[in-house]
C-alpha cells in the first residue's frame, strides 16, 4: 500500500491489485491496528488511526461494496480521510463495548457526554480534552452512541515531549466512567510517528 500522507484516487489500488495485496498483508495491517488500540477501563476502546489504517478502511469499503467508479471512490475518501492525523494531533475511533444488549442500552444512557470527557496528558503538560464528532452529532437527550470519532490536538511542546520519550496518560473523567491508563511504550512509539 502506497503511503503518501495524502489519500487520492490515484494513490489507491485497483480492486484486483488490492485483493492480492490484502491476502499477503492483512496480518501486518491487523498487527498495526492492534498496536494502536488502547483499552481504557473495561468498556472503552480507542483505535488510534493512521494513514495505514484509513487507507486499509477505504480499500476494504471499496472491495466490499465493489466500488470502482471515480465518484464512489471519492465519496469513500471524503468519508474517511479526515480521520488521518495531520501532524499536531491524534485521531481515534472510540468504541463503547458492552456485549450484553440490555447493559449497553443502560450504559449508553448513563454515559451521555463521555466522548467530551476523554483526555490525554503528556508528562509535564496540561490535559488535552478530546474534540469529538466533528462530522455529526452522535448523541441525543436519551443516549450516546457506541461509536465516536475524537481528535486530541497537541501543542508544539507536547509533540516535542512525546517525540523525546515523555510518557502519556489516556483518561476519562466522566462521572460514570472514571478511568485512566498509561499508554504502552510500543503504542506510544507508533503514535509519536504521527507528530511533526
Amino acid at each position: 500500500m502506497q503511503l503518501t500522507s495524502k489519500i487520492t484516487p490515484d494513490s489507491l489500488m485497483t480492486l484486483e491489485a488490492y485483493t492480492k495485496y490484502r491476502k499477503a498483508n492483512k496480518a501486518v495491517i491487523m498487527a498495526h491496528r492492534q498496536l494502536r488500540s488502547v483499552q481504557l477501563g473495561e468498556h472503552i476502546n480507542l483505535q488510534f488511526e493512521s494513514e495505514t489504517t484509513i487507507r486499509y478502511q477505504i480499500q476494504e469499503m471499496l472491495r466490499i461494496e465493489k466500488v470502482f467508479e471515480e465518484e464512489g471512490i471519492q465519496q469513500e475518501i471524503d468519508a474517511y480521510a479526515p480521520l488521518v492525523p495531520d501532524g499536531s494531533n491524534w485521531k481515534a475511533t472510540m468504541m463503547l463495548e458492552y456485549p450484553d444488549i440490555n447493559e449497553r442500552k443502560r450504559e449508553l444512557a448513563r454515559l451521555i457526554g463521555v466522548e467530551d470527557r476523554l483526555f490525554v496528558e503528556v508528562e509535564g503538560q496540561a490535559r488535552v480534552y478530546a474534540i469529538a464528532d466533528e462530522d455529526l452529532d452522535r448523541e441525543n437527550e436519551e443516549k450516546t452512541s457506541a461509536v465516536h470519532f475524537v481528535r486530541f490536538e497537541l501543542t508544539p511542546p507536547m509533540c516535542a515531549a512525546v517525540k523525546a520519550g515523555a510518557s502519556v496518560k489516556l483518561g476519562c473523567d466522566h462521572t460514570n466512567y472514571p478511568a485512566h491508563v498509561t499508554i504502552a511504550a510500543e503504542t506510544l512509539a507508533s503514535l509519536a510517528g504521527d507528530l511533526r
Side-chain angles (χ1 to χ4, degrees):
M1 202 172 289
Q2 180 187 353
L3 296 182
T4 62
S5 77
K6 178 98 172 102
I7 301 174
T8 63
D10 292 342
S11 72
L12 295 172
M13 292 179 230
T14 64
L15 294 180
E16 296 81 9
Y18 177 67
T19 299
K20 290 177 187 166
Y21 172 88
R22 184 178 189 268
K23 283 181 186 160
N25 294 283
K26 187 174 181 183
V28 172
I29 300 289
M30 291 299 106
H32 175 73
R33 184 174 281 286
Q34 183 61 38
L35 174 66
R36 294 175 64 92
S37 182
V38 179
Q39 190 70 34
L40 178 61
E42 202 174 328
H43 301 286
I44 292 180
N45 186 314
L46 269 92
Q47 173 61 60
F48 285 91
E49 305 296 356
S50 67
E51 183 183 348
T52 301
T53 65
I54 296 302
R55 262 183 198 283
Y56 180 78
Q57 180 67 34
I58 292 169
Q59 292 277 186
E60 279 293 295
M61 295 305 292
L62 297 176
R63 181 185 72 84
I64 291 164
E65 297 173 3
K66 296 184 180 15
V67 175
F68 53 87
E69 290 150 354
E70 217 172 288
E71 186 180 330
I73 293 169
Q74 191 61 54
Q75 286 174 351
E76 294 298 336
I77 292 171
D78 292 346
Y80 291 103
L83 295 173
V84 176
D86 45 27
S88 65
N89 52 42
W90 290 321
K91 297 181 182 181
T93 302
M94 171 196 162
M95 293 159 282
L96 287 160
E97 301 174 329
Y98 292 92
D100 178 77
I101 192 162
N102 294 319
E103 182 184 16
R104 181 179 332 124
K105 188 175 180 180
R106 183 183 70 242
E107 292 306 311
L108 292 181
R110 290 181 68 235
L111 292 174
I112 292 172
V114 69
E115 68 280 4
D116 297 316
R117 303 310 307 165
L118 290 177
F119 63 85
V120 293
E121 195 173 304
V122 177
E123 181 182 358
Q125 306 280 329
R127 284 183 179 175
V128 172
Y129 282 88
I131 299 163
D133 301 325
E134 295 177 278
D135 58 341
L136 61 102
D137 199 12
R138 290 189 164 75
E139 69 181 20
N140 57 39
E141 302 80 38
E142 296 169 18
K143 68 176 185 66
T144 192
S145 173
V147 177
H148 294 275
F149 300 101
V150 298
R151 172 170 58 95
F152 298 99
E153 200 61 43
L154 306 181
T155 64
M158 289 172 185
C159 293
V162 170
K163 291 173 89 79
S167 68
V168 177
K169 186 165 58 172
L170 172 69
C172 179
D173 62 11
H174 188 282
T175 305
N176 296 322
Y177 200 95
H180 69 273
V181 64
T182 299
I183 297 176
E186 329 62 84
T187 299
L188 194 52
S190 182
L191 295 178
D194 298 341
L195 304 174
R196 285 198 237 47

